[in-house]
Amino acid sequence: ATCALELGVDVGDLDATVHLGYPGSRAALLQQAGRAGRDPCRPSLAVVVLFDSPLDQYLARSGASLINGPVEACALSVSNEKVLRDQLLCAAAEAPLCLESDRSLFVGQRDGVVADAEAGAAFDDAVAGLERCEALKRVSGGTLAARADRAKHSRDVPLRVVDPVNIEVKLNGVVIDTIPYARAFYELYEGAVYLHQARPHLVTKFDLQTNEALVTRMTRCDYHTSSRNHTDVDPVRVLESRGPLKTGVVHVSSKVWGYRKVCKRTFKVLESKTFSLPPLEFETRGTWIDVPAAAVADIEAKKWDVKGGIHALNHALALVAPLFVVCDANDVATEHVYPVQKRPRPHRLVLYDARRGGRAVLRR
């Protein structure tokens, strides 16, 4: 089964589905499995083959809860101005917006996720921004309508990526792929081996001025490349707190500074290189707990590895997040403080929304 089966297509003759690995949510699994057995007179079968990842193995041990457990909550923050601007423009293209009556559709606590004041401020800022750039114009009755050339704005809202900027991957001057700006830093640095349609390509140039990466096709490649990077996550403002647990705005700064060539056969590091790329910085939503000094002292007294334990627990929290809210594995991230690194960082458990501005995953 693939995610294509989640589109709700009625495949009348399909009797069985085979799922290779957990698709990321129970909602996705049930939607895929539901494509089989549409004929009420015929039984159906869904076979789930779980892999050796920690999350898959946890679900393998949980038995029937994989199928019978509750469907995850869906999270989308209407206080994310980037999301809101696109949605308002698409809505205005269908019918002029009346701010007094339509405001209630975007502002409120119907799902208990977004506070009225916060969503209201985002709504006002989004409308003001669209008016300033004249994407929305006042018409009769004080309503707002989309400019004529924005009438088909929905076609310009990508479903595959959220990044406002994409990097074009070019082979001999021809665009063969597009990669979100932030992801490109980890995959398209000069010297990287980039796989396109299962074929290896060597990145020869990564140009942030023209937003393009130039590649050449490799006839043979016995190694893969792995980026070297670090991410610092620092709280900016606390919005909610419950004892030591805090939720609020965090500043994320990621720096990709090198890569390794790793032999495919032996996994031996063949070569390490460093380079300089500008940091990726943005503000988003996060949830964190600062480990108390007394707990740190107690762990150190037992000669346990404090940094290693925090690093492992952060990974575990990021892995189980999709069990509670509908999100992609890449929607939630954590700070990776490796035990051997010298960069001073606080002892902190932290998860953050990997999308600029956040989309309420962590508040759920």
Side-chain angles (χ1 to χ4, degrees):
T2 72
C3 58
L5 289 182
E6 295 175 38
L7 297 176
V9 179
D10 191 355
V11 188
D13 295 330
L14 196 63
D15 295 319
T17 55
V18 178
H19 309 261
L20 299 181
Y22 182 61
S25 69
R26 290 188 180 91
L29 178 63
L30 295 176
Q31 186 74 1
Q32 292 177 14
R35 296 309 100 203
R38 306 296 287 180
D39 186 342
C41 299
R42 297 164 59 181
S44 64
L45 174 68
V47 179
V48 183
V49 181
L50 295 170
F51 294 151
D52 59 355
S53 71
L55 183 56
D56 277 38
Q57 286 302 300
Y58 167 78
L59 292 169
R61 292 184 177 90
S62 67
S65 67
L66 177 63
I67 302 296
N68 300 328
V71 174
E72 304 85 356
C74 187
L76 179 63
S77 174
V78 294
S79 64
N80 185 320
E81 191 178 334
K82 170 66 174 66
V83 174
L84 193 55
R85 283 168 66 103
D86 280 335
Q87 295 302 314
L88 285 170
L89 201 48
C90 290
E94 294 185 14
L97 293 172
C98 177
L99 295 185
E100 291 185 4
S101 59
D102 292 337
R103 182 187 179 88
S104 62
L105 300 175
F106 298 92
V107 179
Q109 287 186 300
R110 294 179 304 279
D111 56 2
V113 173
V114 180
D116 286 350
E118 182 187 348
F123 180 87
D124 293 337
D125 291 344
V127 171
L130 290 171
E131 284 193 271
R132 277 196 304 271
C133 68
E134 297 185 341
L136 289 180
K137 287 192 172 185
R138 297 272 175 179
V139 293
S140 59
T143 58
L144 289 169
R147 202 172 61 200
D149 62 343
R150 296 297 190 98
K152 300 294 183 183
H153 180 69
S154 58
R155 296 179 181 178
D156 299 326
V157 179
L159 297 178
R160 192 168 67 93
V161 295
V162 187
D163 248 311
V165 179
N166 290 324
I167 302 296
E168 293 182 335
V169 183
K170 292 184 177 181
L171 174 64
N172 298 326
V174 179
V175 178
I176 61 172
D177 202 359
T178 57
I179 300 295
Y181 182 84
R183 203 178 108 201
F185 279 60
Y186 297 89
E187 298 183 14
L188 295 176
Y189 47 84
E190 292 181 14
V193 174
Y194 177 70
L195 289 178
H196 176 65
Q197 296 182 347
R199 294 181 178 179
H201 295 73
L202 179 67
V203 179
T204 58
K205 185 177 182 180
F206 182 36
D207 193 333
L208 292 174
Q209 299 297 320
T210 59
N211 291 331
E212 64 181 17
L214 308 182
V215 301
T216 59
R217 188 168 293 160
M218 305 174 73
T219 55
R220 182 185 176 189
C221 183
D222 56 5
Y223 67 91
H224 69 264
T225 52
S226 174
S227 67
R228 304 182 71 183
N229 59 83
H230 66 255
T231 298
D232 292 340
V233 184
D234 296 300
V236 174
R237 186 168 67 256
V238 176
L239 298 177
E240 299 176 36
S241 62
R242 192 178 305 166
L245 178 65
K246 297 178 175 61
T247 298
V249 179
V250 297
H251 179 266
V252 181
S253 177
S254 298
K255 178 74 174 176
V256 183
W257 49 269
Y259 71 95
R260 293 189 180 100
K261 288 183 179 180
V262 182
C263 178
K264 288 181 179 179
R265 185 171 57 85
T266 64
F267 299 104
K268 180 181 178 181
V269 176
L270 304 175
E271 187 179 7
S272 295
K273 290 193 174 184
T274 60
F275 51 75
S276 179
L277 285 175
L280 290 163
E281 297 182 288
F282 62 93
E283 287 192 354
T284 185
R285 293 304 180 84
T287 296
W288 66 92
I289 297 176
D290 288 312
V291 181
V296 173
D298 188 38
I299 294 171
E300 291 176 338
K302 296 178 180 178
K303 300 189 182 303
W304 292 346
D305 186 348
V306 178
K307 285 185 177 180
I310 292 175
H311 179 81
L313 186 51
N314 271 328
H315 273 288
L317 291 171
L319 279 170
V320 301
L323 292 178
F324 302 97
V325 63
V326 175
C327 66
D328 187 83
N330 296 322
D331 287 340
V332 177
T334 185
E335 186 177 62
H336 304 289
V337 180
Y338 301 101
V340 296
Q341 76 177 31
K342 303 300 182 183
R343 197 173 81 261
R345 296 298 299 161
H347 298 301
R348 178 180 293 142
L349 302 175
V350 59
L351 291 179
Y352 67 91
D353 194 319
R355 309 300 178 191
R356 184 184 299 270
R359 67 178 191 89
V361 173
L362 272 305
R363 297 189 72 179
R364 277 290 191 181

